[in-house]
Amino acid sequence: MHDPYTLVIGDRAYSSWSLRGWLMFDAFGIPVTTLRAQLYTDELPKLLRDFAPAKTAPTMRTPDGVVVPETIAIAEELASRHPEAGLWPKDPRARAVARVLAAEMHAGFTALRSHCPMNLRVSYADCAPPPEVLADLQRLETIWSWAQQQTGSTQWLCGDYSAADAMFAPVAGRIAGYNLPVGPVSQAYLAAHLAHRPFRQWRAMGMVDGPDQAFYRRPFPTRAWPGPVPLAAKAVEGTTAENTACPYSGAPITDVLELNGRRFGFCNTFCRDKTVADPEAWPKFMKIYQS
């Protein structure tokens, strides 16, 4: 039996490319072992010493030991190795459109990236986007509308969720995080991302995944996150809980949350806190909560 894939990522709240790489696995049901390193520290270069010649996150290592450090290459390699997973649409026309969009996202939108670095921990009411950012947003709306017209899609870009949508997930995070102006069709596409289970899970982990990074802080007024409102869970002391094992690992309980007066246990603080951040993002937790 081969070893699983390994994926090196940065901080979940901030690393937009890491989000894309992780979605190539999680959104398509491909198992992976994830290794996280904090950005702007020596953690990432130290971790990547074992992944030469890579120097950025995300970086994938395949079960047979090949290092693949570029997100678009990760998508293509996974699609080749797992054609059943559906990273690219089966329909040739839709597949061509999806690849066009993924390539443009990989190479472009520098003004949007620079002015609005991804920060999933906050949503700003107004970031005063300059003309260059507004031009990037207009280009996004143009190609998103074109893709849906070409493929007849109404929720995602090219039919079912594909690698093209994974490439634009951080853009959805930026539009939500900086309250950027887009039209109704793009707002509907944004809402699909914010409600998407893998995106919600990534953001929930990002809310509790390491310290705030000062580089991403901006002096703008804030507002509530525009995605689905999480259930009001909170961390509590003790180990008394309704369940006897962690819903994710099956390991003994060490940390507990409270939701609507009920207590549920987890095998470590991270498992508990990612669930507190967005309980409904985690089907295994919701199964015991709703039982």
Side-chain angles (χ1 to χ4, degrees):
M1 183 175 179
H2 292 295
D3 292 332
Y5 290 93
T6 303
L7 186 71
V8 175
I9 62 170
D11 303 54
R12 291 179 177 91
Y14 308 112
S15 181
S16 58
W17 286 107
S18 294
L19 169 56
R20 293 180 176 101
W22 183 79
L23 286 170
M24 301 299 177
F25 289 91
D26 191 81
F28 300 97
I30 302 172
V32 64
T33 297
T34 302
L35 304 176
R36 189 193 69 85
Q38 187 177 339
L39 301 175
Y40 308 109
T41 71
D42 60 0
E43 287 183 11
L44 184 59
K46 283 184 176 179
L47 180 55
L48 288 174
R49 289 173 187 170
D50 294 331
F51 293 82
K55 61 179 182 179
T56 57
T59 288
M60 171 182 80
R61 183 160 52 215
T62 67
D64 52 334
V66 180
V67 172
V68 183
E70 286 292 337
T71 307
I72 203 161
I74 292 173
E76 292 290 3
E77 190 59 25
L78 289 177
S80 296
R81 291 171 181 249
H82 302 275
E84 76 290 346
L87 274 85
W88 297 117
K90 291 182 179 180
D91 176 73
R93 183 185 187 92
R95 186 166 62 248
V97 171
R99 282 185 163 130
V100 168
L101 267 61
E104 182 164 348
M105 181 65 254
H106 195 270
F109 304 101
T110 54
L112 176 63
R113 297 176 199 267
S114 177
H115 189 73
C116 303
M118 191 181 80
N119 182 352
L120 298 179
R121 292 183 173 178
V122 67
S123 183
Y124 296 111
D126 182 13
C127 71
E132 297 82 3
V133 172
L134 296 177
D136 274 354
L137 292 171
Q138 182 58 58
R139 177 59 183 171
L140 285 167
E141 295 206 80
T142 296
I143 62 175
W144 288 348
S145 295
W146 170 77
Q148 292 186 330
Q149 291 166 4
Q150 289 289 309
T151 63
S153 185
T154 56
Q155 181 180 33
W156 302 112
L157 293 176
C158 303
D160 292 337
Y161 187 91
S162 74
D165 297 299
M167 292 294 289
F168 286 104
V171 172
R174 286 179 163 97
I175 294 172
Y178 293 88
N179 197 17
L180 296 172
V182 294
V185 173
S186 295
Q187 284 289 351
Y189 182 54
L190 165 66
H193 277 289
L194 300 187
H196 192 214
R197 177 200 55 79
F199 184 94
R200 288 181 69 171
Q201 288 188 351
W202 177 272
R203 181 171 180 265
M205 291 187 286
M207 296 297 289
V208 300
D209 179 25
D212 286 343
Q213 292 274 19
F215 173 82
Y216 295 90
R217 194 176 303 125
R218 296 293 184 270
F220 304 132
T222 60
R223 62 173 187 157
W225 181 257
V229 178
L231 298 176
K234 63 180 181 180
V236 293
E237 298 294 329
T239 57
T240 302
E242 293 183 19
N243 55 314
T244 57
C246 178
Y248 309 125
S249 68
I253 288 169
T254 60
D255 296 83
V256 174
L257 68 74
E258 183 177 290
L259 176 58
N260 287 334
R262 300 169 61 190
R263 294 169 61 97
F264 301 93
F266 304 85
C267 66
N268 58 54
T269 303
F270 183 65
C271 281
R272 187 224 18 224
D273 290 350
K274 73 180 186 182
T275 312
V276 168
D278 190 354
E280 289 181 301
W282 306 98
K284 290 182 178 179
F285 169 72
M286 292 304 293
K287 183 178 181 179
I288 64 170
Y289 176 66
Q290 294 172 339
S291 62

